[in-house]
Amino acid sequence: MRSQTILADLQQIAQQAVERPGQVFTTLAHKLDVRLLQEAYRRVRKDGAPGWSGRTAKDYRKELKANLEDLHIRLKEKRYTAPPIKRIWIEKSNGKKRPIGLSEFEDKIVQKAVSMLLGAVFEQDFYPFSHGFREKHSAHDALKEIREGAMNQKSGWIIDADISGFFDNINHQQLREFVKQRVNDGGLIRLIGKWLNAGIIEGEVMTYSDQGTPQGGVISPVLANIYLHYVLDEWFVKEVQPRLKGKSFIVRYADDFVIGCENEVDARTVKEVLPKRFNRFGLSIHPEKTQLLSFASPQSWNENGSNTFDFLGMTHYWAKSLKGFWVVKRKTSSKKLTETIQSLRNWCRRNRHMSIEYQHQMLSSKLRGHFQYFGIRCNMRSMEVILHQAIRGWRFWLSRRSHKSTINWEKFEQLLAKIPLPKPKIIHNV
């Protein structure tokens, strides 16, 4: 019942945002009551690593009602302070490391509650071609839209763009100005400011940054979408497309986006103005990773359609269907394929001394997760490669548990017959 009441309140805000597209909401902070905090607690993930204090979701749940009531009082009396973010480094499949920010669990609750309020308003303004971190949107929606744009709108030229360090370079002042265009509530703006200026703890060293969104923050996705809504989406729809001579489309997933144009002149013009547009807002388009390529149907120029581009881990390319028509197909990109294989082998190496049952359970989970995303039509061969390499890697490292534990293929196949690994299958027919 409580969730339904909160949902009704958010829907009322959303309806008001739809009916009054020019309205600026100035009184939303009072919605941060115990009921909304309770719903935010329900929605936030509880299996994440704890922040710098070590307090876990399980610890917080022990006195949940009292904790949420105390949190509400601190928010109401403007005594809430954003705790620092704990930074750790995790190893990537290529041997390099990337930073991860661990927020306090209570802070995640507040960020989730605020993101729900912001989302109720801004979701009504966001364009349907923006798919990242939005309810009822997915990466597969973006992949489907690109395929339809290339095939149905005859967009023969593709701009595959890359924003350099987007989440680390968002301008704080500009972000606040963008938020204020629809939500100019002092309480919410102050909270956003506290998160933007929260320190980062690494070891015993505290650092601060005057740009970028909170590392690993629950609020970061909606703030990022707001920023790019004004920097890219609205600009492209209202200023760029009306000036183009041919058809065009744009598909964005978080900070990754692809633009398709019907003719070459339009495409070259857009590619030329993109860096200037992003520079105005403290962002930069990577000059080497951003490419312009011809992607017209081979049927129109009697060639084999050799040009390809990668988006969301998938390589897009032209090929003939079973009926002999030229269509856009997708397969796992070579980069993602290599990363996944290396990641699986590294996991098998690190966990080779764990029990067979544990290793099988975890490998199965990893493979199912991979197939769940990459199980797209025409991508069976790439998934079979992943399964084959996972089997090879598992046997290789099981054989190195000790000098006496060598497992030949016959013995290993007997093991797989008893505890088989998941088989790839097509899940998304897009």
Side-chain angles (χ1 to χ4, degrees), residues 47-286:
D47 58 351
W52 68 276
S53 72
R55 193 182 190 189
T56 64
K58 185 178 180 180
D59 297 330
Y60 200 85
R61 187 174 63 241
K62 291 178 180 178
E63 297 182 17
L64 180 61
K65 182 178 179 181
N67 286 333
L68 292 179
E69 289 176 350
D70 176 67
L71 175 59
H72 172 240
I73 292 173
R74 281 181 283 137
L75 287 169
K76 185 177 181 180
E77 296 178 353
K78 300 180 176 58
R79 292 188 291 110
Y80 183 80
T81 58
I85 298 169
K86 178 183 177 181
R87 174 184 283 171
I88 62 172
W89 296 80
I90 63 172
E91 186 175 335
K92 298 170 65 175
S93 57
N94 58 9
K96 297 182 180 179
K97 293 185 177 182
R98 64 185 180 95
I100 294 291
L102 302 179
S103 301
E104 291 295 302
F105 181 74
E106 183 176 71
D107 200 45
K108 292 180 182 179
I109 296 175
V110 184
Q111 289 190 34
K112 186 65 177 179
V114 173
S115 68
M116 289 162 64
L117 292 175
L118 292 178
V121 177
F122 281 99
E123 275 293 326
Q124 319 316 314
D125 296 346
F126 292 159
Y127 289 94
F129 57 73
S130 168
H131 297 285
F133 308 119
R134 298 179 61 192
E135 291 185 9
K136 300 181 180 179
H137 288 260
S138 70
H140 293 97
D141 292 328
L143 293 170
K144 179 181 179 181
E145 200 167 324
I146 287 179
R147 183 176 188 269
E148 292 177 347
M151 292 178 61
N152 300 336
Q153 297 191 32
K154 299 180 179 179
S155 299
W157 293 86
I158 293 291
I159 302 170
D160 180 17
D162 183 272
I163 307 174
S164 299
F166 169 67
F167 287 93
D168 295 329
N169 292 292
I170 291 178
N171 182 280
H172 289 178
Q173 181 59 36
Q174 189 63 68
L175 173 59
R176 281 190 284 264
E177 292 303 317
F178 285 152
V179 173
K180 288 179 181 179
Q181 291 196 35
R182 283 293 257 161
V183 178
N184 193 10
D185 182 294
L188 297 187
I189 297 298
R190 276 192 297 272
L191 281 173
I192 292 172
K194 290 179 179 181
W195 289 318
L196 294 177
N197 296 313
I200 299 175
I201 293 180
E202 186 171 357
E204 298 182 356
V205 179
M206 174 87 79
T207 58
Y208 298 88
S209 177
D210 59 357
Q211 60 186 19
T213 55
Q215 244 186 24
V218 177
I219 194 73
S220 291
V222 69
L223 294 181
N225 271 335
I226 291 171
Y227 204 82
L228 283 178
H229 170 75
Y230 290 106
V231 173
L232 176 63
D233 301 352
E234 193 166 74
W235 168 74
F236 186 80
V237 170
K238 294 185 177 181
E239 297 186 34
V240 176
Q241 281 188 315
R243 292 177 169 83
L244 300 181
K245 297 179 181 179
K247 296 179 180 178
S248 65
F249 74 88
I250 180 173
V251 176
R252 180 171 68 81
Y253 189 90
D255 60 328
D256 293 327
F257 67 95
V258 166
I259 295 174
C261 295
E262 185 177 8
N263 63 64
E264 183 178 359
V265 175
D266 285 345
R268 294 193 179 279
T269 300
V270 173
K271 185 175 183 291
E272 182 180 346
V273 300
L274 267 177
K276 301 175 184 177
R277 173 67 180 179
F278 276 75
N279 287 342
R280 284 183 54 191
F281 300 96
L283 301 174
S284 60
I285 297 293
H286 199 294

Side-chain angles (χ1 to χ4, degrees), residues 275-309:
K276 301 175 184 177
R277 173 67 180 179
F278 276 75
N279 287 342
R280 284 183 54 191
F281 300 96
L283 301 174
S284 60
I285 297 293
H286 199 294
E288 297 176 0
K289 295 182 180 180
T290 299
Q291 60 173 335
L292 170 65
L293 65 142
S294 171
F295 199 68
S297 168
Q299 182 178 349
S300 62
W301 38 279
N302 298 320
E303 291 193 23
N304 60 4
S306 58
N307 282 346
T308 68
F309 67 93

Side-chain angles (χ1 to χ4, degrees), residues 321-382:
S321 67
L322 294 176
K323 295 183 179 180
F325 299 109
W326 283 103
V327 296
V328 174
K329 294 185 178 182
R330 282 71 49 86
K331 62 182 179 181
T332 308
S333 68
S334 58
K335 178 182 177 181
K336 188 63 180 178
L337 203 64
T338 301
E339 288 180 351
T340 303
I341 293 171
Q342 191 60 52
S343 176
L344 288 171
R345 288 184 68 87
N346 288 342
W347 188 91
C348 290
R349 173 179 57 82
R350 292 192 302 268
N351 295 273
R352 64 186 182 275
H353 295 297
M354 302 296 287
S355 69
I356 298 292
E357 292 75 14
Y358 173 79
Q359 292 186 52
H360 174 261
Q361 178 185 359
M362 294 303 297
L363 270 178
S364 296
S365 177
K366 291 177 180 295
L367 287 172
R368 279 193 293 268
H370 182 86
F371 299 152
Q372 181 70 32
Y373 179 80
F374 288 96
I376 194 169
R377 190 170 57 180
C378 303
N379 195 37
M380 180 61 76
R381 185 174 180 180
S382 295

